[in-house]
């Protein structure tokens, strides 16, 4: 970007965050950073940098969960949601194939000119790639013993046919049929068409289409590119399944994990909390198939090397959504909810001889998932919450004292509800308190000091949802830079902050409700935001212990537009220094490396920089803002380095 433009944009930013900028004529001072490698400080938990997944923005069905058919079981309130039937077709539920998903399609073909069959639109289209295979399957039965031939096709919006296969349905009992589709073209918005070729009557249920290649090649698996993007963050913790969907708009529509395990065909669907939430963004076709359920979440945690952190409903529906009208379960009726929590721990860790351990084993994972954390409640507030949390804490402590319990501090990072809940969490002696902040760039920069004054004796902090929200709520380099600056404060205070997760994680470009988000995707491709790269740089360069880093004997929390933190990686014996320069001038910094042998130390430098604060990664240009890595040498006892304007730097130096 030309310097004039860069200055204009950056100056606007600086004006908005209220920091000073020097003029170009000023002499550039040298800032001295003192780092003491011998004073090994608090451990940085291996869980420190993680991810939070919620089924929002079509993040699960239509996103991470690789199923390509929408409403595969005809269970939406409008059973034809996602489908376009033609000919003589109706919905029935007599003698169903699956008792918890009883509806199915009933089709008759007598030679009508329209033909008889069904088309599915997928999730804003079905993404298919040439030369890749797709597993099509359905459950079906015929009315008589005469076999019925079906034609299965992938077509585009112009009716061009990309693939045709046939299946013969035979027999009056429900049976599973499958065939592989190998389309000859790549198309983000294709459709699936099923046509009866033989006259007769038949029933169809659980119509499914999966890419053959899923993450780790699992059946009922996850979209490869999206799951790989999660693994590439090197997350230490994986919080799921929400967010507000845990609470539900009503108690009846809360997230119930027991509905999400066992055979996938018989998991009852649930309406999404995010379908009608925003008047300007209605998604009546947003349901949770629960194909991505708690077993799959635990398995994904294992696959990406993160500790699982499930969040459970505490007997309250979403307080935010209902504002005073929220439904709550009386405290003396909470036992089934508490049992859900205890049973979940058994499902994750229990022996295969236990009731829920057996369910896990039957699903293919006899070994324990080694669950260590559980969160009760999401963004709850007021006395309704602690009075419900208390019996959960008692029951979990009594049966599973080793499990760490996470309580909530509500939806706000400060204010009345927050001030009320923190002492309550201390009283209940939860292990960690979940804090959420969707705040402005100014807030993020000013809050790099947030945890410096936190009580060291109380529960630890889980920064469970955060993202920098500028006025336009777009992912940009500005937001990423502010998050990088703020996160120096999380790391410096690793004795208090043990976990943190950005939110939300995913958004479908054609079906989102909330932004900004970490990773955007369409039906074929993904784009990692600048914010993603900040998370990745932290995740890959966490270190094991905090090291003291000061400028004029103080932590670097925004003085001269600089933010910094240092860590030691005991495993690799490396020094890690993170520096953020939010100014529009480059900065000279003298790194005083105390406590290591004098001389040159080799390492690498990773820099995330854009001269335009509005720079974005898009599907068309996914690499506008990406980290650039180079080899460096730092000399002890002191090296002067130059930090370019608007940049986030990570040094990783071998000791
Ligand atoms: O991340 C989006 C939503 O923000 C979450 O569901 C909720 O916990 C918060 O209000």
């Amino acid at each position: 970007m030309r310097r004039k433009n860069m200055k204009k944009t950056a100056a606007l930013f600086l004006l908005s965050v209220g920091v000073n900028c020097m003029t170009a004529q000023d002499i550039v001072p040298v800032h001295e950073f003192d780092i003491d490698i011998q004073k090994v400080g608090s451990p940085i938990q291996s869980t420190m940098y993680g991810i939070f997944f919620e089924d929002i923005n079509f993040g699960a069905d239509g996103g991470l969960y690789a199923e390509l058919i929408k409403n595969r079981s005809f269970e939406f309130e409008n059973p034809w949601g996602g489908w376009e039937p033609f000919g003589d077709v109706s919905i029935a539920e007599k003698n169903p194939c699956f008792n918890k998903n009883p509806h199915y399609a009933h089709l008759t073909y007598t030679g009508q000119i329209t033909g008889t069959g069904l088309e599915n639109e997928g999730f804003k289209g079905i993404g298919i790639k040439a030369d890749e295979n797709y597993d099509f399957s359905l459950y079906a039965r015929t009315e008589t013993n005469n076999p019925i031939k079906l034609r299965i096709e992938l077509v585009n919006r112009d009716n061009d046919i990309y693939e045709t296969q046939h299946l013969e349905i035979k027999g009056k009992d429900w049976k599973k049929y499958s065939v592989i589709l190998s389309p000859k073209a790549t198309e983000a918005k294709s459709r699936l068409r099923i046509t009866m070729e033989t006259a007769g009557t038949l029933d169809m249920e659980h119509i499914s289409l999966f890419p053959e290649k899923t993450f780790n090649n699992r059946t009922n698996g996850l979209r490869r590119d999206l799951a790989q993007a999660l693994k590439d963050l090197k997350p230490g913790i994986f919080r799921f399944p929400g967010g507000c969907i845990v609470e539900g708009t009503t108690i009846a529509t809360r997230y119930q994990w027991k509905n999400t395990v066992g055979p996938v065909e018989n998991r009852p669907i649930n309406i999404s909390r995010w379908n009608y939430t925003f008047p300007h963004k209605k998604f009546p076709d947003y349901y949770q198939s629960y194909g991505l359920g708690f077993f799959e979440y635990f398995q994904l945690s294992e696959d990406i090397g993160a500790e699982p952190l499930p969040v459970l409903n505490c007997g309250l529906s979403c307080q935010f959504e209902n504002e005073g009208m929220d439904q709550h379960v009386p405290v003396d009726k909470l036992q089934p909810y508490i049992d859900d929590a205890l049973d979940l721990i058994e499902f994750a860790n229990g022996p295969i001889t236990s009731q829920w351990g057996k369910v896990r084993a039957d699903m293919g994972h006899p070994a324990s998932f080694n669950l260590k954390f559980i969160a009760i409640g999401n963004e709850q507030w007021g006395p309704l919450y602690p009075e419900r949390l208390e019996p959960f804490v008692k029951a979990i402590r009594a049966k599973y004292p080793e499990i760490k319990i996470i309580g909530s501090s509500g939806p706000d990072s400060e204010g009345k509800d927050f001030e009320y809940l923190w002492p309550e969490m201390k009283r209940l002696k939860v292990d960690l308190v979940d804090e959420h902040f969707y705040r402005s760039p100014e807030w993020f920069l000013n809050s790099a000091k947030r945890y410096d004054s936190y009580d060291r004796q109380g529960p630890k902090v889980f920064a469970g949802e955060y993202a920098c929200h500028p006025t336009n709520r777009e992912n940009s380099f500005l937001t990423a830079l502010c998050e990088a600056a703020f996160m120096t404060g999380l790391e410096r205070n690793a004795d208090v902050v043990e976990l943190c997760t950005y939110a939300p994680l995913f958004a479908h470009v054609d079906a989102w409700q909330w932004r900004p988000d970490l990773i955007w995707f369409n039906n074929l491709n993904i784009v990692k935001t600048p914010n993603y790269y900040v998370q990745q740089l932290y995740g890959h360069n966490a270190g094991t212990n905090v090291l003291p880093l000061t400028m004029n004997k103080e932590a670097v929390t925004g003085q001269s537009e600089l933010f910094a933190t240092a860590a030691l990686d005991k495993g690799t014996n490396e020094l890690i220094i993170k520096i953020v320069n939010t100014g529009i001038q480059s900065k000279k910094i003298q790194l005083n490396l105390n406590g290591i042998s004098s001389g040159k130390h080799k390492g690498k430098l990773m820099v995330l920089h854009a001269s335009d604060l509005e720079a974005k990664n898009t599907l068309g240009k996914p690499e506008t803002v990406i980290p650039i890595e180079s080899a460096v040498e730092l000399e002890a006892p002191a090296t002067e380095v130059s930090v370019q304007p608007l940049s986030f730097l990570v040094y990783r130096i071998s000791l």
Side-chain angles (χ1 to χ4, degrees):
M1 185 182 174
R2 270 128 322 275
R3 198 160 169 77
K4 208 170 131 209
N5 275 349
M6 169 187 122
K7 275 192 140 181
K8 196 172 139 217
T9 328
L12 278 176
F13 165 65
L14 293 171
L15 210 63
S16 74
V17 297
V19 290
N20 298 321
C21 49
M22 300 190 323
T23 65
Q25 295 89 334
D26 289 336
I27 296 162
V28 181
V30 178
H31 304 280
E32 282 196 46
F33 281 11
D34 293 304
I35 302 168
D36 201 326
I37 290 103
Q38 294 305 321
K39 287 199 183 140
V40 178
S42 313
I44 299 169
Q45 302 300 320
S46 59
T47 47
M48 179 72 168
Y49 302 111
I51 50 175
F52 160 53
F53 178 83
E54 174 168 24
D55 187 3
I56 183 172
N57 304 321
F58 282 70
D61 294 280
L64 183 60
Y65 183 48
E67 173 64 85
L68 295 167
I69 302 300
K70 186 163 73 184
N71 191 16
R72 62 187 173 188
S73 298
F74 306 98
E75 296 297 328
F76 285 13
E77 198 180 339
N78 163 16
W80 290 123
W83 293 99
E84 205 177 296
F86 51 94
D88 183 356
V89 182
S90 58
I91 294 288
E93 54 181 320
K94 199 174 158 202
N95 299 328
C97 191
F98 304 108
N99 64 328
K100 292 183 186 166
N101 283 322
H103 297 100
Y104 54 84
H106 179 72
L107 299 90
T108 299
Y109 178 50
T110 51
Q112 7 347 17
I113 194 158
T114 54
T116 291
L118 305 171
E119 269 190 38
N120 191 276
E121 65 184 12
F123 300 90
K124 309 288 169 195
I126 296 176
I128 49 170
K129 292 185 180 165
D131 304 323
E132 294 214 354
N133 290 338
Y134 294 82
D135 297 329
F136 171 85
S137 65
L138 84 169
Y139 289 78
R141 66 179 173 194
T142 51
E143 197 174 62
T144 69
N145 282 326
N146 292 342
I148 292 179
K149 207 167 167 193
L150 295 180
R151 194 169 67 240
I152 322 293
E153 292 167 318
L154 286 168
V155 302
N156 74 0
R157 280 166 292 189
D158 300 327
N159 258 331
D160 299 324
I161 294 168
Y162 291 146
E163 167 67 332
T164 305
Q165 292 292 335
H166 289 92
L167 275 177
E168 192 177 77
I169 311 299
K170 200 172 173 191
K172 292 182 185 172
D173 295 327
W174 286 110
K175 260 190 292 179
K176 186 174 182 176
Y177 297 83
S178 48
V179 65
I180 292 175
L181 307 183
S182 309
K184 315 291 175 298
T186 296
E187 161 74 55
K189 297 195 183 235
S190 76
R191 297 166 68 84
L192 174 84
R193 182 183 296 155
I194 307 171
T195 312
M196 291 177 72
E197 285 197 338
T198 320
T201 296
L202 89 165
D203 298 326
M204 292 180 196
E205 166 66 306
H206 198 88
I207 301 172
S208 170
L209 183 70
F210 265 88
E212 195 176 70
K213 290 184 190 157
T214 56
F215 184 61
N216 285 0
N217 292 323
R218 299 194 187 285
T219 46
N220 189 47
L222 306 179
R223 205 175 122 168
R224 252 191 194 184
D225 51 354
L226 294 177
Q228 189 60 45
L230 300 185
K231 187 171 181 185
D232 292 344
L233 285 167
K234 230 181 175 185
I237 191 91
F238 178 32
R239 175 179 182 239
F240 57 84
C244 291
I245 66 161
V246 167
E247 303 159 64
T249 307
T250 61
I251 283 287
T253 57
R254 73 193 186 277
Y255 195 100
Q256 299 184 59
W257 75 267
K258 287 175 180 165
N259 287 341
T260 77
V261 297
V264 72
E265 298 86 349
N266 212 15
R267 301 181 190 175
I269 70 157
N270 193 10
I271 195 155
S272 171
R273 156 73 179 71
W274 295 106
N275 55 359
Y276 292 110
T277 308
F278 301 113
H280 60 289
K281 273 194 159 284
K282 289 195 194 299
F283 288 91
D285 60 341
Y286 202 175
Y287 284 76
Q288 302 171 76
S289 73
Y290 289 145
L292 169 54
F294 262 46
F295 179 85
E296 291 76 18
Y297 283 128
F298 280 116
Q299 192 159 57
L300 178 60
S301 309
E302 200 169 79
D303 286 347
I304 59 179
E307 297 289 348
L309 194 179
V311 187
L312 295 191
N313 186 291
C314 65
L316 288 169
S317 68
C318 183
Q319 291 169 280
F320 217 104
E321 180 72 350
N322 296 296
E323 269 302 357
M325 309 274 287
D326 46 284
Q327 302 175 354
H328 49 271
V329 180
V331 176
D332 62 358
K333 299 262 173 349
L334 271 180
Q335 198 53 45
Y337 294 74
I338 296 169
D339 289 343
D340 275 356
L342 300 175
D343 292 344
L344 177 65
I345 300 170
E346 184 177 290
F347 174 74
N349 295 353
I352 59 173
T353 47
S354 63
Q355 182 194 349
W356 288 101
K358 182 173 181 319
V359 175
R360 181 191 73 239
D362 290 348
M363 292 183 76
H365 202 287
S368 156
F369 280 119
N370 203 9
L371 177 69
K372 300 187 182 86
F373 300 90
I374 195 165
I376 306 296
N378 176 44
E379 286 181 346
Q380 323 304 158
W381 66 73
L384 286 174
Y385 177 49
E387 68 193 22
R388 277 159 188 73
L389 180 59
E390 190 158 5
F392 278 89
V393 173
K394 278 191 186 142
I396 296 170
R397 292 273 187 249
K399 195 161 180 192
Y400 298 107
E402 71 284 6
I403 295 287
K404 288 195 172 175
I405 301 173
I406 299 175
S408 167
S409 61
D412 291 315
S413 47
E414 48 266 307
K416 193 165 75 46
D417 295 319
F418 182 85
E419 300 300 331
Y420 165 73
L421 277 178
W422 252 100
E424 284 297 289
M425 294 304 109
K426 286 185 180 172
R427 177 179 70 80
L428 295 176
K429 295 195 172 60
V430 299
D431 298 288
L432 293 111
V433 176
D434 185 6
E435 297 192 349
H436 294 180
F437 14 85
Y438 297 105
R439 290 285 185 266
S440 65
E442 298 89 313
W443 186 95
F444 268 81
L445 295 187
N446 292 332
S447 299
K449 300 190 243 344
R450 179 180 175 91
Y451 295 107
D452 295 3
S453 52
Y454 260 51
D455 178 3
R456 269 42 204 174
Q457 310 310 320
K460 304 294 179 193
V461 170
F462 170 29
E465 291 184 29
Y466 65 91
C468 175
H469 281 198
T471 321
N472 64 10
R473 290 190 61 162
E474 288 181 8
N475 289 95
S476 61
F477 180 63
L478 161 68
T479 57
L481 196 65
C482 292
E483 286 153 11
F486 169 72
M487 288 173 78
T488 58
L490 302 181
E491 189 166 291
R492 279 189 305 99
N493 288 285
D495 57 329
V496 171
V497 184
E498 294 198 341
L499 324 168
C500 63
T501 54
Y502 180 98
L505 195 51
F506 286 125
H508 191 302
V509 290
D510 297 328
W512 59 273
Q513 297 83 45
W514 176 295
R515 66 180 184 187
D517 307 287
L518 205 63
I519 300 166
W520 288 78
F521 60 91
N522 65 12
N523 289 339
L524 294 176
N525 299 306
I526 79 168
V527 53
K528 297 168 179 173
T529 58
N531 316 71
Y532 174 95
Y533 291 111
V534 167
Q535 295 296 320
Q536 191 177 45
L537 285 168
Y538 271 92
H540 282 245
N541 300 289
T544 55
N545 294 79
V546 180
L547 290 175
L549 185 160
T550 53
M551 181 163 74
N552 298 326
K553 303 205 179 328
E554 286 182 350
V556 187
T557 58
Q559 310 90 306
S560 306
E561 298 115 8
L562 289 168
F563 299 79
T565 178
L568 174 71
D569 188 328
K570 277 187 179 169
T572 58
N573 202 25
E574 286 171 303
L575 165 67
I576 300 165
I577 310 170
K578 302 186 181 82
I579 304 174
V580 179
N581 178 6
T582 58
I584 57 164
Q585 250 85 22
S586 65
K587 302 279 156 66
K588 282 192 176 161
I589 297 177
Q590 181 174 309
L591 295 171
N592 295 328
L593 306 175
N594 306 309
I596 53 169
S597 54
S598 44
K600 289 184 173 160
H601 294 264
K602 285 188 192 314
K604 58 183 180 181
L605 169 65
M606 291 144 275
V607 182
L608 191 69
H609 160 76
S611 45
D612 178 4
L613 285 159
E614 287 305 316
K616 294 176 183 62
N617 293 339
T618 60
L619 282 164
K621 282 191 172 175
E623 301 205 334
T624 305
V625 187
I626 55 168
I628 306 291
E629 188 177 311
S630 58
V632 283
E633 273 182 349
L634 292 188
E635 190 160 352
T639 308
E640 192 176 290
V641 299
S642 176
V643 177
Q644 67 188 120
L646 306 176
S647 58
F648 170 38
L649 279 65
V650 182
Y651 287 93
R652 201 169 174 119
I653 303 297
S654 173
L655 297 174

